[in-house]
Amino acid sequence: MLLPRPTRLIRAAGDFTLTATTGVQAPDGIADLLRELVTPATGLPLPDGPAAGAGGVISMRTVDAAQLGAEGYRLTVDESGVRAEAATEVGLRWAVQTLRQLLPEQVYAAAPVRGVPWRLPAVQIVDVPRYAWRGSLLDVARWCHPLPFLYRYVDLLAAHKLNTLHLHLTDDQGWRFEVRRYPRLTEVGGYRAASPAGHARDGRGDGVPHGGWYRQADLRDLVAYAHRRGVRVMPEIDLPGHAQAAIAAYPEFGNDPTRQLAVRTTWGISTHVLNLEPATLAAVCDILDEVVDVFPFEYVHVGGDEVPSAEWAASPAATARAVELGLPRVADLQGWWTGQLAAHLAGHRRRIAVWDELLDRGAPAGATVFAWRGTDRIDAAQAAGLPVVAAPYTHTYFDWAESDDPAEPLAIAGTVPLETVYGFQPGDVLGVQGQLWSEYLPTPQRVLWRAFPRLAALAEVGWSGPTAVDVDGVVPTGPWAEFRDRLTVHLRRLDQLGVGYRPLD
Ligand code: TNX
């Protein structure tokens, strides 16, 4: 009952039970991960090396196996023990997660559970993901979720073989990334006076200040922790719109340096955007230098969604620049400006990721497009010859309600039902990503309620693809029914982890 469903699984006769004398032979990082994930609940020491007694061995190693790709693995359990092979350590990390799912669900408990035989069914698994990018966006700008929750969230991604955490670190309502060179970004931009009470369309404020931000050193530790689990962290600095917090901190970044804006206290889109002057571009490049220093991942997301161009149209400097560059519309300055960021980041050997609005404003060559405004934006990105991550709101916006039941907690909009997520067919893309914009997700509890089980369905879309196969010898009655049965079992794992997910209908 694995989730996501493996490429191939054959159930063999017999089983293997982990005991106090079961040993581990694996690269250090893999053996450590196995113990981190299995020892707390089982109490088993899983010492290095062949077992002292007759406890059998868990052997995991990298081999020359190009067909397994960057993340695939083979896993065999028989009566003598466990063998896993992969071409990379990342593949072995996913094998560890599969091993954990093969154990009784109590293995997910945080404290020792007695009286459970830690029995693994004999199986032969070959498992290779369908998509290289399997992501989850967490918006920590609208609400600054506590650092320990980010660790927990990384664990949950890894448990679903999701390999990318997209951290949306800045927005109109808050700047959460410490920048040494521009300390006011967090000192001022990290705090707002109030937030909407109820739905933003009702126009009421709660009068309660909110703020917070992450230290670079803490983010570095988070990145290292995620790395040990096979999860890459992609930072997003949303530019040049959704940047009112930055303009509140440094009015000279805005289009009217004499105007002191506040960090935005309502949701929606600010009309205030960065100016396109060389000094501001240089400052943004300085900021990005600190970003790449903290986040080693190849991709840096520079936003670009929902950028109103009215301030540029009203700015003599911006309109003159558009003319000088031969751009037909002042809005096209965004494409040019983002190209400057791409060139700067290329100097750090980084690629940029952008929201699909850039397709309409001259997306820089080589940018990876995050298609969110419907599935036709996936086609648009492909028509432009750019790599695309499928993130359409119709299938992957988990901040939307799951049903139109009036008992649903307040959501930004509705609905993205679980079955719709599972039925998503992204096509020939780099990968898929689920979005948790946090306007209406003020607490970790609410994030998890909205994330699960939809993120589990998306994990399967990203890893397994849409074809139903015969798993565990059970012939599925249909892909959805088969998934639902497996999900029911999987939810018991989430129960052990204390994840307050939305119950199935
Ligand atoms: C649009 S999706 C936004 C976000 C909001 C989200 C709410 C995207 C690239 N921009 O700023 O949080 O809608 O669903």
Side-chain angles (χ1 to χ4, degrees), residues 276 307 309 312 318 321-322 325-339 357-364:
L276 305 173
V307 182
S309 55
W312 299 336
R321 191 171 308 275
L325 293 164
L327 298 172
R329 300 171 309 172
V330 88
D332 294 327
L333 284 165
Q334 189 187 345
W336 161 78
W337 189 81
T338 307
E357 280 89 337
L358 262 300
L359 292 171
D360 310 327
R361 296 183 171 185

Side-chain angles (χ1 to χ4, degrees), residues 142 242 305-306 355 372 397 399-400 412 437 439:
R142 270 54 176 269
H242 281 285
D305 55 318
E306 302 175 325
W355 294 108
W372 72 276
Y397 270 38
D399 55 325
W400 288 33
I412 189 163
W437 299 104
E439 290 97 324

